[in-house]
Amino acid sequence: MLLAVFASQGGCGVASCGPGVPDPCEQDRLGCEDPTELQHIDGCPDTSPLSVTVGDGENGFVALAPGTGPTMHYGFQGGQHYFLGFRVANASLDLYDQLKVTLWVGQGEACGLGAHPTGVLPEGCEHDLGYRELVIGSAEQPLNVVDGAVEESGLLLVVDYPWSGMSTVVAVEVEDPCGRTGATSVSWTQP
């Protein structure tokens, strides 16, 4: 699905973007595939919220500082995207090996973290710039674990052109197979 959206917004599709310019889907952690089926489990002893951090990073996770947005990447046909990441400090990796992740970017003076189910922006967000939902973790592509925490990067999010001078929010919402959730966001003023 993401590949089709990317191609329609000026992406290169499955071919190379030209000499020396790789297709962003070749750089995406999942190759722009979006599996969404999370295998739920019962009887998890921990019911605390997940501790989540949103980040930037094409090749490695870098936490976003308050007031700082992720790096915008521009395609040669006018498209643009972010490579986002996230960190979950308290995943129960002894019980499961996958997480459901929702990434989104919105704009508006009162835009803030909130539910973004099926593409509906939280109240106060005037502009929906991008949305992606996926499940990370499989036998072929296991979760990336660093010092006991899940740290993922290189998740392509194609975004619409942002409105200059507006408050912009990038958010990540994570659910584990136990039904625990966590979410966080960072906002900045779009130059």
Side-chain angles (χ1 to χ4, degrees):
M1 160 118 168
L2 182 62
L3 182 58
V5 170
F6 183 71
S8 73
Q9 291 190 3
C12 305
V14 293
S16 175
C17 290
V21 182
D23 179 344
C25 283
E26 292 174 6
Q27 299 170 294
D28 179 68
R29 166 79 162 90
L30 301 177
C32 293
E33 297 293 322
D34 288 351
T36 58
E37 186 174 336
L38 183 66
Q39 301 296 320
H40 290 279
I41 55 178
D42 294 324
C44 298
D46 189 358
T47 59
S48 64
L50 294 174
S51 176
V52 180
T53 305
V54 66
D56 194 8
E58 188 173 343
N59 298 312
F61 174 80
V62 178
L64 289 172
T68 305
T71 302
M72 181 76 78
H73 298 267
Y74 298 94
F76 81 105
Q77 293 181 335
Q80 60 221 355
H81 58 275
Y82 295 126
F83 282 108
L84 297 177
F86 67 93
R87 182 176 197 274
V88 178
N90 61 339
S92 297
L93 298 175
D94 56 328
L95 299 176
Y96 53 77
D97 59 359
Q98 61 177 199
L99 295 168
K100 186 172 186 174
V101 181
T102 303
L103 301 163
W104 61 266
V105 179
Q107 283 190 306
E109 294 313 310
C111 188
L113 186 62
H116 192 304
T118 62
V120 177
L121 275 175
E123 193 171 318
C125 294
E126 298 169 42
H127 305 287
D128 189 352
L129 300 183
Y131 175 87
R132 185 175 181 191
E133 183 179 284
L134 57 135
V135 171
I136 294 184
S138 67
E140 300 81 31
Q141 294 184 325
L143 292 171
N144 186 41
V145 179
V146 177
D147 296 329
V150 175
E151 278 191 9
E152 293 290 346
S153 63
L155 299 171
L156 178 76
L157 181 64
V158 176
V159 292
D160 290 336
Y161 192 77
W163 295 70
S164 183
M166 289 193 77
S167 177
T168 307
V169 175
V170 62
V172 61
E173 301 170 15
V174 180
E175 178 185 358
D176 74 4
C178 293
R180 298 166 58 205
T181 61
T184 191
S185 65
V186 170
S187 62
W188 71 99
T189 300
Q190 187 68 36

